[in-house]
Amino acid sequence: MQFLSDNAAAVHPRVWDAMRAADAADAPYDGDRLSHRLDDAFGELFGRECAAIWVATGTAANCLALATLVQPHGGVVCHSEAHIEMDEGGAPGFYLHGAKLILAGGEGAKLDPGTIRTAIDPIRDDVHQVQPHAISVTQASEYGLCYRPDELAAIAGLARERGLGLHVDGARFANAVAFLGCSAAAAAGPADALSFGCIKNGAMSAEAVVFFDPAAADLARYRRKRAGHLQSKGRFLAAQVLAMIEDGLWLDNARAANTAAREIAAACGDRLMHPVEANELFVRLTEQERTVLRAQGFGFYDWGRDAARFVTAWNSDPNAVSALARAISGL
Amino acid sequence: MQFLSDNAAAVHPRVWDAMRAADAADAPYDGDRLSHRLDDAFGELFGRECAAIWVATGTAANCLALATLVQPHGGVVCHSEAHIEMDEGGAPGFYLHGAKLILAGGEGAKLDPGTIRTAIDPIRDDVHQVQPHAISVTQASEYGLCYRPDELAAIAGLARERGLGLHVDGARFANAVAFLGCSAAAAAGPADALSFGCIKNGAMSAEAVVFFDPAAADLARYRRKRAGHLQSKGRFLAAQVLAMIEDGLWLDNARAANTAAREIAAACGDRLMHPVEANELFVRLTEQERTVLRAQGFGFYDWGRDAARFVTAWNSDPNAVSALARAISGL
Amino acid sequence: MQFLSDNAAAVHPRVWDAMRAADAADAPYDGDRLSHRLDDAFGELFGRECAAIWVATGTAANCLALATLVQPHGGVVCHSEAHIEMDEGGAPGFYLHGAKLILAGGEGAKLDPGTIRTAIDPIRDDVHQVQPHAISVTQASEYGLCYRPDELAAIAGLARERGLGLHVDGARFANAVAFLGCSAAAAAGPADALSFGCIKNGAMSAEAVVFFDPAAADLARYRRKRAGHLQSKGRFLAAQVLAMIEDGLWLDNARAANTAAREIAAACGDRLMHPVEANELFVRLTEQERTVLRAQGFGFYDWGRDAARFVTAWNSDPNAVSALARAISGL
Amino acid sequence: MQFLSDNAAAVHPRVWDAMRAADAADAPYDGDRLSHRLDDAFGELFGRECAAIWVATGTAANCLALATLVQPHGGVVCHSEAHIEMDEGGAPGFYLHGAKLILAGGEGAKLDPGTIRTAIDPIRDDVHQVQPHAISVTQASEYGLCYRPDELAAIAGLARERGLGLHVDGARFANAVAFLGCSAAAAAGPADALSFGCIKNGAMSAEAVVFFDPAAADLARYRRKRAGHLQSKGRFLAAQVLAMIEDGLWLDNARAANTAAREIAAACGDRLMHPVEANELFVRLTEQERTVLRAQGFGFYDWGRDAARFVTAWNSDPNAVSALARAISGL
């Protein structure tokens, strides 16, 4: 009964099927027929022209997206608990050639115009201080909270006013859309680039980076190759992404994960550190309580000394979910 | 009847099976049981202690290997037609933070101590010129030629004498071993790090980097994450690599490809630009002759104006191979 | 009556004399006789073997020093108000190839083992988080406070325990030594590398980087050239550095600046935000008070909304110093 | 009687005077009155709007110029014997974040459209190969040869046609103008950026980078700070540059050096490996002949096994020059 993370979950059968179907000779790299369908598939999903490329990890997706928005001498405003700051092993420093992450605050790992201004307004407009070139937000956030369309619009407005690019880290974008009940376009807001997560949501090894400026995608294609991320059998990555988005699998899977999270959340009451909007739960639990849960067979990470993190996935076992809810209620 | 490249060939059924078998919950990244087996599996293959990591592309494999041997202000001696110089989109410049490729010559894209000395002896030992830190050889070479163990030993001797690291780009290492009829260890020579190719040889999306110094592997693990190459479902890459090496599939597949190449080579006679040792053929063919072959349904790349490159793969259709041999004979 | 900064002060006559004396033909770069004297001159100053190189700016000095201690995938622990974080335009990101500055707190921009531990203890020892490779302290700190030898020893002890290098940014090292009344060696503590500032203290365009490990200096020499900092007429930089240190000019100048700062400090009473140990004063002054002072001809920077920063220099005019002290007293 | 290089020559008295005159309090960095005059001074010299910044070395000048024209994933076409390839310690790799130098040929280290095409036409227009972003030529070339205005126009035409930037490394630009007898503008051609050398021509520690696109200069200012090249007492660099260009000193000095070189050249006859246009002579001399010259007190570098390089400077002693000419004639 694992609730450690969604990032190592099994691969969805329809993703497997799509991969098997891709196992015929085709052009190498991204010259195959499946890769060629990505732009249109995402264009349809977002209702506007866009260009999309596959890549094997969320870290690479975020970094390739940001590399089109940030020069080496610039900076990226992100939350101090953003994945790019905390958990990517310095990859932004590598991909952006030493550009700086400019850290801002905000409840639940969500930025807002106020916290962004607090971070960037003190930056003197001179060469001695690193100037911001872009803003990166995570949808849903690292604490599982979702930006509402008007919140994104406000951030985008500030970005435009200051001449900054806007990137959305959508490692759990599907969960955000499922929660918000809005269109993909509304959940992405007026972003320049979006890391569209698939791996945590049933794929094996493919994320997409969606560029709303096709010229940026051209640039990213060079950078992808340069980063050793242009796989020769790219058709297998394209197949995964298409399997996720072409028949709504991405939303179905995210809804399943969110539903499971909500069921557990209902049992947590005041224990919840953050509202549960997507598929992550941060739950106040003493060490003793965590020991009790683990003794019952539940797997999860400690979150500091007095809490735990539970993550549901597309394939969370309903019985395990109910069992966990009961177990927490019974503490 | 495609002979364009082995790099987009189908995935071997046993690799598929291994991947399917890996689709059970396990630890993320490289914490799973399959990834943990890599060091031992390669240790057995090479008969010495080694540490191995998976990575999704040969470009990343080469660059991560070199990053353990070369500092940013140094250089890598490689052949002027080496893959790292010609076809990796500047990835070495990215991964090595601007280190330089120091180009050397040699017949058939093979370096030898003489050509290496010609490249590095004129480098003044001062800070104005980039000093070599490592040598990279390709086994089999970009023209399909294999370094004999004594040739590798001679290069390694020079490397040791000059304090240089030694890297082997083994994108087609299996084909080299199959040709040489020696052990994997003998075909790798006294290298510090080896890019052990699987993708061109029946895998989908996994190569291995084998470090003969475990400390270098530790370093490479940080760099792999930093490059966005640490996949969360890494077990699927480990499964591919293990499927290739644990029951000799790597050699079986390479032998099949080499055999196909030899059959075609026998029909080429004086047309061959290089001896055919692995699975690539560079064949003198006029434009008209190439047109004739294409009209018969054969796919291949032009190689300059007066030649063509044919590559066989683990799954080259014997009928197509024989047909191509006959067609060339009949020109 | 300028108290804006010491960084644009006039050049000391003895520095001018030394530069003029260097205007004879000699070997280029650092092959000249003056550059050759640096190692010994600093060896004498610090009472231990060391290797020293000149460089044109403090930013380059800090970065070249750190480049010998930090790998691209690592991090440097520094104060959140350290010059390398706040005022070097992202130079550490450039020179360290994307390594991270890991920010720590501490009163008066001084680190201590407790604040360092607070910053690094939460870093998980895995590849997902950037690991610290070095600590950088500023002597005197950005608020003009000096590390006592036992404070440096405690930090160095922690560094050793964790396997971290130790760098001292000594842009105002002379002022610190003048205040502490100790030896240069005691004020540098068990550092691996020291940026020895001269420019704020009467030189024109030369700082020194002192390496207590000669091998690190060898590395830094390659990096200096690679950064375009190896001047062909390097003898003029060596001349400046030698003029500063060989006859005690560095200490005389620093004492003059510190004395001037103390005189002003004595007039500030409770207005002082930090004790005045070196040559910088951070003084609580309302906007109206600052207007009054400026109307009297005093130049200085605002420090936030309710304070001002005054910096004295080796050549601060005693009359101006006394006048400023009186003016502040009279507010 | 030194003819080793012009790069370590004495500083011209008028440069000294200008530096001394700059030793009054002024704004730090490039905020001083002298630095502010650079744009206009170069604007007048080149008869068009331009923006100019000072920097301490030619290596930094070249790299900062190129950084405005080349992205990290791109390349710079330069001669295989260009200074940026041969003698800058890998600085372009550092400043351009791993961009590639694409080497081309040409007599006397001069590129021409034909050699450039030979280098870039084989580059496939795909992400696997590094695409050229700029061309860099050296005026006068590394063998002392000068591009005629029509030669520059032809190269610039090709650059425009291929969408490439054009950089001129003018470490000895003054010598080229002196030889060509044309305007500075004509000798720079339609370049985007020019490294305007002063140090080899009588200055101490200041070169200028001239941008014919002011936006590029803005970018370069950030990169200059980031590279640790923004000196706080920048007025001393501005003073040097202005002293060189405002009263024609740059041309007077270059003419003196060229005249000296011509006198020696006249004595060399068939021994000259290249026509002598600027202030460098490459002279066929056996080892024995070089021994004879050195025994007479002449200093110079060997150039391979059978030749020597002599460089004259703004202050070459006329007696020494005549003596060298006689000595060579008498061999």
Side-chain angles (χ1 to χ4, degrees):
Chain A
M1 295 186 292
Q2 291 303 318
F3 296 90
L4 287 160
S5 183
D6 45 359
N7 76 347
V11 173
H12 193 279
R14 276 159 59 192
V15 172
W16 278 114
D17 291 346
M19 292 176 74
R20 292 306 294 250
D23 197 17
D26 203 336
Y29 306 113
D30 59 356
D32 59 284
R33 284 159 300 172
L34 298 174
S35 297
H36 281 169
R37 272 163 52 195
L38 287 180
D39 290 1
D40 285 350
F42 279 99
E44 196 167 323
L45 190 62
F46 285 95
R48 57 192 277 210
E49 193 191 359
C50 57
I53 65 173
W54 43 253
V55 70
T57 67
T59 294
N62 288 336
C63 289
L64 289 171
L66 288 169
T68 67
L69 301 172
V70 180
Q71 289 197 272
H73 61 281
V76 183
V77 183
C78 69
H79 196 279
S80 61
E81 303 193 68
H83 198 261
I84 56 174
E85 160 67 9
M86 293 297 285
D87 289 296
E88 300 194 348
F94 179 46
Y95 275 81
L96 305 181
H97 299 295
K100 186 174 180 169
L101 300 185
I102 299 169
L103 305 183
E107 196 58 31
K110 281 173 64 181
L111 297 176
D112 63 62
T115 61
I116 296 169
R117 278 195 206 98
T118 299
I120 65 176
D121 282 353
I123 297 173
R124 297 188 315 268
D125 180 18
D126 66 32
V127 299
H128 300 271
Q129 301 205 310
V130 176
Q131 305 297 310
H133 287 191
I135 298 169
S136 178
V137 299
T138 309
Q139 174 76 307
S141 86
E142 283 73 11
Y143 287 114
L145 300 182
C146 301
Y147 288 89
R148 273 59 176 175
D150 64 314
E151 293 176 327
L152 285 177
I155 290 171
L158 177 60
R160 225 173 1 250
E161 177 193 319
R162 304 292 177 97
L164 309 178
L166 181 58
H167 165 249
V168 176
D169 174 355
R172 293 188 181 92
F173 185 71
N175 302 282
V177 174
F179 169 74
L180 293 168
C182 67
S183 67
D192 296 296
L194 165 71
S195 303
F196 185 97
C198 297
I199 294 169
K200 292 177 163 71
N201 197 27
M204 176 194 288
S205 59
E207 310 278 82
V209 197
V210 184
F211 295 96
F212 298 103
D213 169 6
D218 287 344
L219 181 66
R221 284 190 187 95
Y222 283 102
R223 297 292 177 100
R224 176 175 62 176
K225 171 61 200 177
R226 192 176 190 240
H229 274 288
L230 182 62
Q231 299 193 16
S232 56
K233 302 185 185 177
R235 60 191 187 268
F236 293 109
L237 286 87
Q240 295 177 54
V241 173
L242 292 171
M244 292 300 294
I245 66 170
E246 287 194 334
D247 287 305
L249 182 61
W250 68 293
L251 263 182
D252 295 341
N253 281 357
R255 283 183 189 126
N258 287 8
T259 299
R262 268 202 310 277
E263 180 177 342
I264 302 166
C268 293
D270 287 350
R271 292 181 181 274
L272 289 177
M273 298 169 69
H274 302 284
V276 174
E277 298 184 350
N279 63 325
E280 295 185 282
L281 303 104
F282 297 84
V283 185
R284 289 185 197 90
L285 290 167
T286 64
E287 191 173 346
Q288 194 187 342
E289 291 169 330
R290 300 196 303 265
T291 302
V292 168
L293 291 176
R294 286 188 172 117
Q296 297 176 43
F298 298 105
F300 52 87
Y301 284 113
D302 288 345
W303 198 258
R305 298 191 169 184
D306 302 310
R309 187 189 78 163
F310 300 85
V311 186
T312 57
W314 70 271
N315 65 342
S316 288
D317 173 4
N319 293 329
V321 168
S322 300
L324 176 59
R326 279 195 308 273
I328 293 176
S329 295
L331 286 172
Chain B
M1 293 187 291
Q2 291 303 319
F3 296 90
L4 286 160
S5 182
D6 45 1
N7 76 347
V11 173
H12 193 278
R14 276 160 57 190
V15 172
W16 276 115
D17 292 346
M19 292 177 73
R20 290 307 294 251
D23 197 17
D26 202 337
Y29 306 114
D30 58 356
D32 59 283
R33 284 159 300 171
L34 298 174
S35 296
H36 281 170
R37 273 164 49 196
L38 287 180
D39 289 2
D40 285 349
F42 279 99
E44 196 168 322
L45 191 60
F46 285 95
R48 58 192 275 210
E49 194 190 0
C50 58
I53 65 173
W54 43 251
V55 70
T57 67
T59 293
N62 288 336
C63 289
L64 289 171
L66 288 169
T68 67
L69 301 173
V70 181
Q71 289 198 271
H73 62 280
V76 183
V77 183
C78 69
H79 196 278
S80 61
E81 302 193 70
H83 199 261
I84 57 174
E85 160 68 9
M86 293 298 283
D87 288 296
E88 300 194 349
F94 179 45
Y95 275 81
L96 305 181
H97 299 293
K100 187 174 179 169
L101 300 186
I102 299 169
L103 305 182
E107 196 58 30
K110 281 173 64 182
L111 298 176
D112 63 63
T115 61
I116 296 170
R117 278 196 205 98
T118 300
I120 65 177
D121 282 352
I123 297 174
R124 297 189 314 269
D125 180 17
D126 67 31
V127 300
H128 299 270
Q129 301 205 309
V130 176
Q131 305 298 311
H133 287 192
I135 299 170
S136 178
V137 299
T138 309
Q139 173 77 305
S141 87
E142 285 72 12
Y143 286 114
L145 301 183
C146 301
Y147 288 89
R148 272 60 175 174
D150 64 315
E151 293 175 327
L152 285 176
I155 291 172
L158 177 59
R160 226 175 359 251
E161 176 192 321
R162 305 291 176 97
L164 309 179
L166 179 60
H167 165 249
V168 175
D169 174 354
R172 293 188 181 93
F173 185 70
N175 302 284
V177 174
F179 169 75
L180 293 168
C182 66
S183 68
D192 296 296
L194 165 71
S195 304
F196 185 97
C198 299
I199 295 170
K200 291 178 163 70
N201 197 27
M204 177 193 286
S205 57
E207 310 278 82
V209 196
V210 184
F211 294 97
F212 299 102
D213 168 6
D218 287 344
L219 181 66
R221 285 191 185 92
Y222 282 101
R223 297 293 177 98
R224 175 175 64 176
K225 171 61 199 177
R226 191 176 191 240
H229 274 288
L230 182 61
Q231 298 194 17
S232 55
K233 303 183 185 178
R235 62 190 186 269
F236 292 109
L237 286 87
Q240 295 177 55
V241 173
L242 292 171
M244 293 299 294
I245 66 169
E246 288 194 333
D247 287 306
L249 183 59
W250 68 293
L251 264 183
D252 295 342
N253 281 357
R255 284 182 189 127
N258 287 8
T259 300
R262 268 201 309 276
E263 179 176 345
I264 302 166
C268 292
D270 287 350
R271 292 180 180 274
L272 289 177
M273 298 168 67
H274 303 283
V276 174
E277 299 185 349
N279 63 325
E280 295 184 282
L281 303 104
F282 298 84
V283 185
R284 288 185 198 90
L285 290 166
T286 64
E287 190 173 346
Q288 195 187 341
E289 290 169 331
R290 300 194 304 265
T291 302
V292 168
L293 290 176
R294 286 189 172 114
Q296 297 176 43
F298 298 104
F300 52 86
Y301 284 112
D302 287 345
W303 198 260
R305 298 191 169 186
D306 301 311
R309 187 189 77 164
F310 300 85
V311 187
T312 58
W314 68 271
N315 65 342
S316 287
D317 174 4
N319 294 329
V321 168
S322 300
L324 176 59
R326 279 193 308 273
I328 293 175
S329 295
L331 284 172
Chain C
M1 294 188 293
Q2 291 305 316
F3 297 90
L4 287 161
S5 181
D6 46 0
N7 77 346
V11 173
H12 193 279
R14 276 160 57 192
V15 172
W16 277 115
D17 291 347
M19 293 177 73
R20 291 307 294 249
D23 196 17
D26 202 336
Y29 306 113
D30 58 357
D32 60 283
R33 284 159 300 172
L34 298 174
S35 297
H36 280 169
R37 272 164 50 195
L38 287 180
D39 289 2
D40 285 349
F42 278 100
E44 197 168 322
L45 191 62
F46 285 95
R48 58 191 275 208
E49 194 190 359
C50 58
I53 65 173
W54 43 252
V55 69
T57 68
T59 293
N62 288 337
C63 289
L64 289 171
L66 288 168
T68 66
L69 302 172
V70 181
Q71 288 196 272
H73 61 281
V76 182
V77 183
C78 68
H79 196 278
S80 61
E81 302 193 70
H83 198 261
I84 57 174
E85 160 68 9
M86 293 296 285
D87 289 296
E88 300 195 346
F94 180 45
Y95 275 81
L96 306 181
H97 297 109
K100 188 175 179 171
L101 300 186
I102 299 169
L103 305 183
E107 196 59 30
K110 281 173 65 182
L111 298 176
D112 62 63
T115 61
I116 295 170
R117 277 195 206 98
T118 300
I120 65 176
D121 283 352
I123 297 174
R124 296 189 316 269
D125 180 18
D126 67 32
V127 301
H128 301 269
Q129 301 205 310
V130 176
Q131 305 299 311
H133 288 191
I135 299 170
S136 178
V137 299
T138 309
Q139 173 77 305
S141 86
E142 285 72 12
Y143 286 115
L145 301 182
C146 300
Y147 288 90
R148 273 60 176 174
D150 65 314
E151 294 175 327
L152 285 177
I155 291 172
L158 177 60
R160 224 172 2 248
E161 177 193 319
R162 305 291 177 97
L164 309 179
L166 180 59
H167 165 249
V168 176
D169 174 355
R172 292 186 181 93
F173 184 72
N175 302 282
V177 175
F179 168 76
L180 293 168
C182 67
S183 67
D192 295 296
L194 165 71
S195 303
F196 185 96
C198 298
I199 295 169
K200 291 178 163 69
N201 198 27
M204 177 193 286
S205 58
E207 310 279 80
V209 197
V210 184
F211 294 97
F212 298 105
D213 169 6
D218 286 344
L219 181 65
R221 284 190 186 93
Y222 281 101
R223 297 293 177 97
R224 176 174 64 176
K225 172 59 199 179
R226 192 174 190 241
H229 274 287
L230 182 62
Q231 298 194 16
S232 55
K233 303 184 185 179
R235 61 190 187 267
F236 293 110
L237 285 87
Q240 295 177 55
V241 173
L242 292 172
M244 292 299 295
I245 65 168
E246 287 194 332
D247 287 305
L249 183 60
W250 68 293
L251 264 184
D252 296 340
N253 281 358
R255 284 184 187 124
N258 286 9
T259 300
R262 269 203 308 279
E263 179 176 343
I264 302 165
C268 292
D270 287 351
R271 291 180 180 276
L272 289 177
M273 298 169 67
H274 301 284
V276 174
E277 298 184 350
N279 63 325
E280 294 184 283
L281 302 105
F282 297 85
V283 186
R284 288 185 197 90
L285 290 167
T286 65
E287 189 172 350
Q288 194 186 340
E289 290 169 332
R290 300 194 306 264
T291 303
V292 168
L293 290 177
R294 286 189 171 115
Q296 296 176 44
F298 298 105
F300 53 87
Y301 284 112
D302 287 345
W303 197 260
R305 296 191 169 187
D306 301 311
R309 187 190 77 163
F310 299 85
V311 187
T312 57
W314 68 272
N315 65 342
S316 287
D317 173 4
N319 293 329
V321 168
S322 300
L324 176 58
R326 280 194 308 272
I328 292 176
S329 295
L331 284 172
Chain D
M1 294 188 293
Q2 291 305 317
F3 296 90
L4 286 161
S5 181
D6 45 0
N7 77 347
V11 174
H12 193 279
R14 275 160 58 190
V15 173
W16 277 115
D17 292 346
M19 292 178 74
R20 291 307 295 250
D23 196 17
D26 202 337
Y29 305 113
D30 60 355
D32 60 284
R33 284 159 299 174
L34 298 175
S35 295
H36 280 170
R37 273 164 49 194
L38 287 180
D39 289 1
D40 284 350
F42 279 98
E44 196 167 322
L45 191 62
F46 284 95
R48 59 192 275 209
E49 194 190 359
C50 58
I53 66 172
W54 43 253
V55 70
T57 67
T59 293
N62 288 337
C63 288
L64 289 171
L66 288 169
T68 67
L69 301 172
V70 181
Q71 289 197 273
H73 61 281
V76 182
V77 183
C78 68
H79 197 279
S80 61
E81 302 194 69
H83 199 261
I84 57 174
E85 160 68 9
M86 293 296 285
D87 289 297
E88 300 195 346
F94 179 45
Y95 274 82
L96 305 181
H97 299 293
K100 186 174 180 171
L101 300 185
I102 299 168
L103 305 183
E107 195 60 30
K110 282 173 65 181
L111 298 176
D112 62 64
T115 61
I116 296 171
R117 277 196 206 98
T118 299
I120 66 176
D121 282 354
I123 296 174
R124 298 188 314 269
D125 181 18
D126 66 32
V127 301
H128 300 270
Q129 301 205 310
V130 176
Q131 305 297 311
H133 287 192
I135 299 169
S136 179
V137 298
T138 308
Q139 174 74 309
S141 86
E142 285 72 11
Y143 287 115
L145 300 182
C146 300
Y147 287 90
R148 272 60 176 174
D150 65 315
E151 293 175 326
L152 285 176
I155 291 172
L158 176 59
R160 227 175 358 251
E161 178 192 319
R162 305 291 177 98
L164 309 178
L166 180 58
H167 164 249
V168 176
D169 174 355
R172 293 189 180 92
F173 185 71
N175 302 283
V177 175
F179 168 75
L180 293 167
C182 68
S183 69
D192 296 295
L194 166 71
S195 303
F196 185 97
C198 298
I199 294 169
K200 290 178 164 69
N201 198 26
M204 176 193 286
S205 59
E207 310 279 82
V209 195
V210 184
F211 294 97
F212 298 104
D213 169 5
D218 287 345
L219 181 66
R221 285 190 186 94
Y222 282 101
R223 297 292 178 100
R224 177 175 62 176
K225 170 62 199 176
R226 191 174 191 242
H229 274 288
L230 182 61
Q231 299 194 16
S232 55
K233 303 185 184 178
R235 61 191 187 267
F236 293 109
L237 286 86
Q240 294 176 57
V241 173
L242 292 171
M244 293 299 294
I245 66 170
E246 287 194 335
D247 287 305
L249 182 61
W250 68 293
L251 264 184
D252 295 342
N253 281 357
R255 284 183 187 124
N258 287 8
T259 300
R262 269 202 307 279
E263 180 176 344
I264 302 165
C268 293
D270 287 350
R271 293 180 180 274
L272 289 177
M273 298 168 68
H274 301 283
V276 174
E277 299 184 350
N279 63 324
E280 294 185 281
L281 301 105
F282 297 84
V283 186
R284 288 185 198 89
L285 291 166
T286 64
E287 190 173 347
Q288 193 186 343
E289 290 170 331
R290 300 195 305 265
T291 302
V292 168
L293 291 177
R294 286 190 173 115
Q296 297 176 43
F298 298 105
F300 53 87
Y301 284 112
D302 287 345
W303 198 259
R305 299 190 168 185
D306 302 310
R309 187 190 77 164
F310 300 84
V311 187
T312 57
W314 69 271
N315 66 342
S316 288
D317 173 3
N319 293 328
V321 167
S322 299
L324 176 59
R326 279 194 307 273
I328 293 176
S329 294
L331 286 173

